[in-house]
Amino acid sequence: MLNITLPDGNKLNFEKKVTGFEIAEKISKSLSKSALLISIDGKLKDLNTVIDKDCSVKIFTSKDKEGLETIRHDTAHILAMAVQELFPGTQVTIGPVIEDGFYYDFARKEPFTDEDLNKIENKMREIVERDEQTTREVWPRKKAIDHFKKIGEIYKAEIIKNIPEEEEVSIYFHGKWHDLCRGPHLTSTGKIGKYFKLTKVSGAYWRGDSKNEMLQRVYGTSWSTQKELDDYLEKIEEAEKRDHRKLGKLMNLFHFREESPGAVFWHEKGWALFQKLISYMRYKQEDAGYKEINTPEILDRSLWEKSGHWEKFGANMYTSETPDKKIFAIKPMNCPGCVQVFNQGLKSYRDLPFKMSEFGKVHRYEPSGALHGLLRVRAFTQDDAHIFCTEDQITEECLSVTNLILEIYKDLGFEDVILKYSDRPDLRVGEDGVWDKSEAALLKAIKASKLEYSVNKGEGAFYGPKIEFVLRDAIGRDWQCGTLQVDLNLPGRLGASYVDKDGSKKIPVMLHRALFGSLERFIGILIENYAGKLPFWISPLQTMVIPISEDFNEYAVLIQKKIKNSGITCSVDLKNHNLNYKIREHSNAKVPILLICGKKEVDSNAVTIRKLDSNKQENMSIDEFIKKYSALNKAPSI
RNA sequence: GCCCUGAUAGUUUCUAAUGGUUAAAACAGGCCCUUGGUAAGGGUCAGUUCCCAGUUCGAUUCUGGGUCAGGGCACCA
């Protein structure tokens, strides 16, 4: 007699043994049709696993996360199967499930073309149609290695060698085709349904290491219904529409060019946005007790050698040679310069915490393939700051930095923020006792912030642990922005000190922090988050006056002057076009407020307001408009 | 840096075309006429086919190299 416990606590009895499928059948006919997987005492298994012991089970369908992931995993297998049917001699490697889909890496000399992708997808549909049965076998390790070597699957053999001894080596068969896999899998190829699509091909390194050979990766997506697939494809399209590179061009904010790859040419409007963010930050930082400084962009090589950058960061640094053969480096970070400012004059413990901010433009020679619009550039402006404090002050200072970061993110419309905490790396400086202290202090601050956080073991900076602030945008994408690092190394290396209560000289702790991280990147994120429709207060061009015909140009200019004087940015469109045209043009350029004026408005000394994305009109006097919108012309928290 | 794909007016071009006189269209832009609520209409003006070699009588077109861009990988703010 077999006792099977269901998630709701009910028990089913079977004679001696039973499969997951039979359990589903007993529960209901519809469940037997939609069942994909089973968990036995919490472990996911194939639905046709034979159960011969009392246990508790749960049956999963495509509505469960586990079910959908297995569909994707099976789709990846079928992809590999299709590729090997079409292109014999191609080796399979790994094919995991990823967010929204899956990929499979292949080793093959000839590249896959887009046409091949179509062929492969058709073959996959054929395999689904064939509805081949899935079976699982456990092989002795040696047999598996020998087998895969024999059939020329070198990569698979290598994977098996790396499977821990205590784990089973399981082989899954879909019909005759087979693959090494941990499972679980669906009972047949027909179960994955038809809601999948191959999306792209690209290169990828074997085992993710750039020293290894390059494989060909085929990406795909797979869902349990047509609607889910359509929604996903729509989401991709939406993301493309929001692409800041496209919108940047459309809104005339900036451009890039060959002569300086990865460096932004800011146009008038883009630069206005940039400056608005800076003046907002200045206000917030001043309020939080920071003193703004500025340090040279080019510093002698010797300083970088002292700080350790020359050795640790040299591969990313631009250097320059003067006519008399001196070597200077263009700063990739602001910290060494900032320490020089701290070092001026004698500092007392009473001066701590000493907070200096700097909008420092840094240059880093990034690998060419890393460049991506504003999100990854070679020259960028950090909203950097360095806080010199005592060890006892670390937690409190970290907490105040975290609060400041959350406040400014909130002002800019990002409320969904997660933290990533990275602790000591293998390669590090400083004593373990000090690391214990700084990690504990940083962790204490994170916990006090009550934010969700994940841990990246060993990913800290060589001088100290760090937190990274990741924000989630309007369409669910994550972006890493701010960072906070505890540094117990650089101040000593660069000779920083303060006089303590007892008269002795001590080395201060230095906290590095950036709020947006990079102004350039943050602007890219802002554009994508708002699809270009920036909130009024941060919008680079807030209002546009449009006269209905030339007769009202004079009045339009008058209005523009008044509005500009009130501190709201305002432009006037006197071009030779009709009203329709101008409304459309400026709506496309995402100007939040259009002000229309014609005879009616001139007579009543008023304007007609049209807000972006609304065709409602509102009429008010100029003074009323200025009063109302001046109040909106600042960050929510100010 | 690595793999793949690509580069033609300001933009787009699976809406061009081509080993051969003035390289095309649409939209955008300038000027003029016209002007009433998300691209009215008309007239008119404007372009070194990314760079460097090579093949050729002749290259935007073919070949090689480079640069840059796009999608990934790796790296990362």
Side-chain angles (χ1 to χ4, degrees):
Chain A
M1 194 65 154
L2 209 53
N3 256 318
I4 304 292
T5 310
L6 302 178
D8 60 7
N10 286 337
K11 287 185 194 238
L12 289 178
N13 294 321
F14 294 90
E15 281 306 313
K16 39 185 194 286
K17 54 184 180 183
V18 68
T19 67
F21 178 72
E22 286 158 351
I23 296 172
E25 240 179 349
K26 187 140 183 185
I27 296 169
S28 80
K29 199 169 175 190
S30 65
L31 185 63
S32 75
K33 276 187 193 153
S34 59
L36 296 177
L37 295 184
I38 186 166
S39 73
I40 301 172
D41 290 332
K43 278 191 192 140
L44 282 179
K45 296 281 184 184
D46 301 336
L47 197 61
N48 54 17
T49 304
V50 176
I51 300 168
D52 54 9
K53 278 191 286 232
D54 288 358
C55 58
S56 49
V57 303
K58 183 173 177 206
I59 291 182
F60 296 92
T61 69
S62 65
K63 291 198 175 64
D64 301 299
K65 180 172 151 273
E66 292 84 350
L68 185 57
E69 281 181 1
T70 310
I71 287 177
R72 287 176 180 155
H73 188 185
D74 275 60
T75 318
H77 268 222
I78 289 167
L79 162 62
M81 195 171 166
V83 165
Q84 291 200 317
E85 281 186 28
L86 287 168
F87 308 98
T90 304
Q91 289 190 65
V92 292
T93 67
I94 55 162
V97 171
I98 51 173
E99 202 182 343
D100 295 333
F102 60 88
Y103 66 78
Y104 210 113
D105 286 348
F106 300 97
R108 176 176 181 247
K109 280 216 182 76
E110 300 74 39
F112 291 120
T113 62
D114 286 349
E115 266 167 60
D116 292 339
L117 222 57
N118 269 329
K119 269 190 222 159
I120 296 167
E121 198 177 304
N122 289 336
K123 178 61 85 177
M124 287 169 72
R125 298 197 187 281
E126 193 188 307
I127 293 169
V128 170
E129 199 73 12
R130 296 203 302 249
D131 199 19
E132 309 234 31
Q133 294 302 303
T134 305
T135 48
R136 177 178 186 271
E137 291 181 12
V138 175
W139 286 9
R141 185 168 301 255
K142 184 159 183 325
K143 176 187 169 185
I145 293 174
D146 290 346
H147 170 76
F148 282 107
K149 271 192 183 158
K150 207 175 112 198
I151 61 170
E153 297 280 3
I154 314 295
Y155 293 93
K156 279 289 172 191
E158 205 180 314
I159 293 169
I160 299 168
K161 278 185 205 157
N162 286 306
I163 296 178
E165 282 300 328
E166 63 277 13
E167 261 181 54
E168 287 181 334
V169 174
S170 56
I171 311 291
Y172 275 83
F173 284 76
H174 305 287
K176 274 188 205 143
W177 189 83
H178 59 285
D179 192 7
L180 166 81
C181 189
R182 189 180 288 130
H185 278 286
L186 308 181
T187 51
S188 72
T189 59
K191 290 270 180 195
I192 70 163
K194 49 187 178 184
Y195 314 111
F196 60 85
K197 190 174 162 50
L198 298 183
T199 49
K200 57 195 165 202
V201 218
S202 73
Y205 297 107
W206 166 237
R207 290 189 184 282
D209 189 332
S210 59
K211 287 189 206 76
N212 291 341
E213 58 273 52
M214 182 66 72
L215 306 171
Q216 292 187 64
R217 176 169 297 178
V218 177
Y219 283 92
T221 187
S222 189
W223 301 84
S224 62
T225 63
Q226 184 69 45
K227 187 177 180 312
E228 283 174 349
L229 175 62
D230 290 346
D231 286 352
Y232 169 73
L233 296 174
E234 228 171 84
K235 188 181 147 188
I236 304 281
E237 252 176 63
E238 174 63 24
E240 271 168 30
K241 269 188 228 151
R242 286 167 179 256
D243 192 314
H244 72 281
R245 293 166 299 184
K246 210 178 224 175
L247 289 173
K249 198 181 268 177
L250 204 70
M251 295 168 71
N252 191 15
L253 301 178
F254 58 84
H255 82 275
F256 289 93
R257 55 195 308 113
E258 286 193 11
E259 291 86 345
S260 188
V264 191
F265 287 77
W266 287 105
H267 302 184
E268 181 193 348
K269 270 173 72 184
W271 190 241
L273 172 56
F274 196 105
Q275 290 303 325
K276 275 194 171 193
L277 283 172
I278 286 186
S279 65
Y280 161 68
M281 298 280 281
R282 281 208 167 108
Y283 183 93
K284 297 299 277 187
Q285 294 190 142
E286 155 95 56
D287 207 37
Y290 290 84
K291 311 285 178 211
E292 186 176 330
I293 60 161
N294 192 263
T295 63
E297 318 234 321
I298 297 174
L299 292 150
D300 192 86
R301 166 182 183 159
S302 60
L303 181 67
W304 302 105
E305 284 171 345
K306 234 185 268 173
S307 71
H309 285 84
W310 195 263
E311 192 196 339
K312 302 275 177 198
F313 210 74
N316 284 307
M317 282 162 71
Y318 286 91
T319 53
S320 66
E321 199 188 73
T322 58
D324 55 355
K325 309 289 177 209
K326 283 184 185 141
I327 305 280
F328 289 85
I330 298 154
K331 67 177 175 183
M333 295 189 195
N334 301 302
C335 25
C338 183
V339 176
Q340 305 315 310
V341 178
F342 180 84
N343 288 352
Q344 295 306 300
L346 211 52
K347 295 290 183 299
S348 137
Y349 70 95
R350 289 174 192 277
D351 295 320
L352 306 186
F354 198 82
K355 310 184 190 184
M356 283 180 279
S357 66
E358 174 172 13
F359 293 98
K361 185 163 189 182
V362 296
H363 289 73
R364 297 183 186 173
Y365 193 71
E366 300 289 348
S368 58
L371 304 180
H372 183 94
L374 294 176
L375 302 181
R376 193 73 187 276
V377 290
R378 285 182 175 154
F380 59 99
T381 309
Q382 292 184 309
D383 52 347
D384 213 350
H386 297 92
I387 299 167
F388 295 83
C389 64
T390 65
E391 283 178 17
D392 296 338
Q393 292 168 333
I394 295 176
T395 302
E396 196 188 332
E397 289 307 313
C398 286
L399 201 54
S400 90
V401 166
T402 304
N403 287 336
L404 181 60
I405 287 187
L406 295 180
E407 204 173 289
I408 65 152
Y409 285 1
K410 195 173 169 191
D411 267 347
L412 287 148
F414 301 101
E415 305 215 20
D416 205 351
V417 180
I418 55 166
L419 305 189
K420 282 188 188 162
Y421 166 72
S422 304
D423 61 8
R424 68 190 79 183
D426 292 337
L427 202 72
R428 61 179 183 269
V429 292
E431 287 166 26
D432 282 356
V434 183
W435 273 92
D436 289 343
K437 210 183 266 183
S438 49
E439 285 176 355
L442 195 52
L443 267 175
K444 198 169 151 196
I446 295 176
K447 284 183 178 140
S449 76
K450 296 195 175 78
L451 285 162
E452 188 192 326
Y453 74 97
S454 60
V455 178
N456 290 347
K457 272 231 149 305
E459 303 257 307
F462 68 91
Y463 45 75
K466 67 175 176 184
I467 312 177
E468 279 160 351
F469 294 81
V470 178
L471 50 82
R472 183 155 295 165
D473 77 4
I475 57 172
R477 296 171 303 177
D478 288 344
W479 305 96
Q480 193 194 306
C481 294
T483 175
L484 168 58
Q485 301 161 3
V486 180
D487 181 0
L488 300 154
N489 175 52
L490 275 190
R493 290 182 79 124
L494 297 174
S497 68
Y498 67 95
V499 181
D500 206 354
K501 275 179 193 159
D502 59 7
S504 66
K505 269 200 172 177
K506 293 220 169 108
I507 299 175
V509 174
M510 177 156 86
L511 306 181
H512 305 236
R513 58 107 272 218
L515 308 177
F516 291 146
S518 139
L519 268 297
E520 285 78 359
R521 169 183 282 184
F522 196 80
I523 288 174
I525 295 168
L526 262 188
I527 293 169
E528 302 211 358
N529 182 59
Y530 286 108
K533 296 165 191 166
L534 298 168
F536 180 74
W537 69 276
I538 204 77
S539 189
L541 178 58
Q542 296 168 302
T543 58
M544 173 69 74
V545 184
I546 305 176
I548 281 168
S549 78
E550 263 174 20
D551 296 345
F552 313 106
N553 281 0
E554 207 179 309
Y555 182 72
V557 172
L558 188 80
I559 292 177
Q560 184 211 9
K561 270 190 192 144
K562 278 195 178 176
I563 293 175
K564 268 171 103 171
N565 287 341
S566 78
I568 294 171
T569 49
C570 185
S571 195
V572 59
D573 185 352
L574 302 179
K575 271 186 288 196
N576 188 14
H577 284 296
N578 68 14
L579 184 56
N580 268 348
Y581 183 90
K582 289 182 183 177
I583 289 176
R584 187 187 148 87
E585 191 187 15
H586 300 302
S587 298
N588 283 344
K590 323 284 186 203
V591 179
I593 305 284
L594 302 184
L595 300 167
I596 317 286
C597 49
K599 185 164 191 312
K600 206 166 63 185
E601 288 80 10
V602 172
D603 289 346
S604 58
N605 198 29
V607 283
T608 296
I609 300 163
R610 239 190 125 95
K611 290 184 195 158
L612 186 57
D613 277 343
S614 152
N615 46 18
K616 272 192 215 146
Q617 296 164 47
E618 202 183 342
N619 192 279
M620 61 174 79
S621 74
I622 300 168
D623 292 340
E624 202 182 340
F625 172 82
I626 288 174
K627 198 174 155 206
K628 185 171 172 189
Y629 280 87
S630 293
L632 295 172
N633 195 16
K634 58 185 181 48
S637 75
I638 293 177

